Structure formats: C-alpha cells, structure tokens
Amino acid sequence: MPQTAVITGAAKGIGQVLAKAFLQADFNVLMTDADDQALAGARDELAHYNRVQTQVLDVRNKNDFEQALNVAQEHFGAAQVLINNAAITPTTPVLEITPEEFSQVLDINLRGCFLGCQVFGAYFAQQNQGRIINMASLAGQMGGTASGAHYASSKAGIITLTKIFARQFAGQGVTVNAVAPGPVLVDSITEKVPPEKLAEIIDTMIPVKQMSDPRLIADMALLLASDQAATVTGATWDANGGIFMR
Ligand SMILES: NC(=O)c1ccc[n+]([C@@H]2O[C@H](COP(=O)([O-])OP(=O)(O)OC[C@H]3O[C@@H](n4cnc5c(N)ncnc54)[C@H](O)[C@@H]3O)[C@@H](O)[C@H]2O)c1
C-alpha cells in the first residue's frame, strides 16, 4: 500500500520538485498551495501520475490543514508524511520592515509550520506512524544575506519548532526534522537574476561554487520520510555549499 505525502506550497519551485520526487518514489501526493491557479498548472504537469490530488490550503488557516487531512484520508485512506514547505521570502531592509509585514511573514512561514505540525502531528501520533519535514533555511542559522530579517527569524523559529514537535512525538512513531538549504537553483531565481550576476554570486559567495539542485532537497526529504530514518528526529540537515559549517 503506497504511503501518502501532503506538501504545502507545492505549486512552484522546491514544492513542485518535492511533489514529483515523491510521486516517482511511489507515494500518493496531495499537493496543496494558497495559489489555486498555480496549483492547477502544477497539477496538470504531473497529471500523468494518477496518484496526485490537489487541495487549496492557505497555511495561515488551521482549518485548511484539517480539510487537507480529510481529503488525504478520503482519497488515499491515510496520510503518513507532511512537508511544511510553503513560505514567502521578502527582502525588505530591516529598518524598513513595517510591523504588518513582519507579522505577515511570521504568520505564513512560522505559524503556518506550527499549525501543520499540530494538526498532522496529532493525527500521525494517533496512527503511531508519521514523518514531518519542515523547510528551514540557511538564513535561519546565520541571519541571512539577501533575505529579510523577518524571513530569517521565521526560519530560525522553524528549527526550534522542529525540536519541540520532535520531542513531543518521539516514542509515538513520528519523527520531525528540518532541511536547511542555502541557495537552491529554482525557476524564480533564474527568472529574476541575470546569468552573469548569478555566476558572480556563485563564484564569490558559495565555497563549493554551485547552487543546490532542488532535486537534492527532495532526495533529502525522501530519506527523512523513509522507514529507515526512524532514529533521525529533531535534526536539521544542511545543504548550503559550505557557506555555513557547524
Ligand atoms: N529557493 C531557495 O533558494 C531556498 C533556500 C532556502 C530555503 N528555501 C525554502 O524552501 C521552501 C520553498 O522555496 P521556493 O524557493 O520553492 O519558494 P517559491 O516562492 O518558489 O514557492 C513557495 C510556494 O509557497 C506558496 N505560498 C505562499 N504563501 C502561502 C500560504 N499562505 N499558504 C500556502 N502556500 C503559500 C506559494 O504560492 C508558492 O507556490 C520555502 O520554505 C523556502 O523558505 C528556499
């Protein structure tokens, strides 16, 4: 019986790559996103995998997580994996961030992850089986360079939440881990940054002189989702090209 993975922010970027990787690894996948049009487009690209469903889920709403869990159970019988991937990444300079913008970023990035861990974690614990994978970031470990203070703070909070939920569910068959990527080569970056500029950034900022392929991030998530990763919990796995070592 295939397992089921629920992914937030799956309409684009790393989330879409995660969805494809989990489908290729024979999971059922419930792709969710707040952007219904982008979600429909992403689903069309993966429609030839007949184990994919979509559900609009805004991570600011606890009820949306509860509905997604219901949809996963109705379509696939159960859910075993949650990937809290959705986020926004504003780059506003620290002294220009308004209180409203700060709260908006924390609500989506950090509180959204918290709600996902709460709703799915409780369900997984009842089932005595589950994997939660939270997308953190290098910015949450070293304060960030291009990304904003609110973004970096939210990602630092995710690393701490990961430990708290890992401790909460340890002993109930549920692991909770984070992945902390540095720069990942996704379409939003290649569309925004000209190739010469990108080459300069890679050359001057990344010791290994390459950005991570999003497929690496997906493969890390797949390993964390596997049965054999039962002893890994509360961890944050880095993929940052040597920018930050600990
Ligand atoms: N791309 C990178 O270099 C990089 C580096 C480190 C960490 N990350 C993390 O990886 C994850 C994915 O990054 P990405 O570059 O693919 O981002 P992206 O901007 O390409 O995609 C994010 C997705 O989240 C969705 N989203 C935004 N607000 C939402 C909400 N309120 N509810 C539900 N969905 C919402 C968007 O619609 C979008 O589809 C994020 O958590 C990000 O912080 C990315």
Side-chain angles (χ1 to χ4, degrees):
M1 180 101 167
Q3 293 199 353
T4 299
V6 178
I7 305 171
T8 69
K12 275 187 250 160
I14 295 171
Q16 195 181 3
V17 175
L18 283 164
K20 186 173 181 181
F22 274 73
L23 285 165
Q24 287 173 337
D26 289 333
F27 280 78
N28 304 312
V29 172
L30 180 61
M31 299 172 74
T32 74
D33 205 285
D35 182 340
D36 56 346
Q37 285 192 347
L39 187 60
R43 190 229 164 100
D44 286 349
E45 285 180 35
L46 297 173
H48 53 286
Y49 296 97
N50 51 19
R51 286 169 285 100
V52 61
Q53 289 289 332
T54 52
Q55 172 75 10
V56 175
L57 184 165
D58 186 323
V59 296
R60 289 171 292 191
N61 301 330
K62 185 173 183 179
N63 189 250
D64 284 8
F65 278 104
E66 291 163 346
Q67 280 188 6
L69 177 55
N70 287 339
V71 169
Q73 288 176 293
E74 275 163 26
H75 280 285
F76 301 125
Q80 289 83 14
V81 178
L82 171 70
I83 308 182
N84 283 309
N85 167 77
I88 55 171
T89 312
T91 57
T92 315
V94 62
L95 296 183
E96 294 169 27
I97 298 172
T98 61
E100 293 74 24
E101 183 179 321
F102 191 86
S103 296
Q104 183 202 22
V105 176
L106 271 286
D107 272 0
I108 294 175
N109 295 7
L110 183 58
R111 201 184 73 150
C113 176
F114 168 75
L115 294 176
C117 289
Q118 225 185 22
V119 171
F120 277 79
Y123 163 77
F124 290 156
Q126 271 173 11
Q127 306 294 308
N128 222 33
Q129 178 187 18
R131 298 277 185 266
I132 299 177
I133 298 148
N134 297 325
M135 291 303 297
S137 172
L138 168 65
Q141 297 167 309
M142 60 176 289
T145 45
S147 54
H150 34 18
Y151 175 83
S153 307
S154 72
K155 294 294 171 174
I158 286 176
I159 292 170
T160 299
L161 269 186
T162 298
K163 295 175 190 172
I164 292 165
F165 279 106
R167 218 170 19 239
Q168 175 69 29
F169 298 125
Q172 293 175 281
V174 183
T175 67
V176 187
N177 292 290
V179 176
V184 180
L185 200 52
V186 286
D187 292 346
S188 58
I189 294 192
T190 45
E191 280 158 18
K192 271 187 232 153
V193 187
E196 329 72 74
K197 181 75 188 156
L198 197 57
E200 187 195 320
I201 293 171
I202 292 168
D203 193 49
T204 53
M205 287 184 51
I206 310 179
V208 302
K209 303 209 182 296
Q210 57 176 291
M211 294 172 75
S212 294
D213 189 309
R215 182 64 209 215
L216 168 70
I217 308 305
D219 285 344
M220 291 167 80
L222 273 170
L223 187 53
L224 287 170
S226 68
D227 288 346
Q228 83 191 106
T231 54
V232 181
T233 198
T236 297
W237 282 1
D238 300 346
N240 60 44
I243 298 174
F244 176 72
M245 300 180 191
R246 61 193 168 106

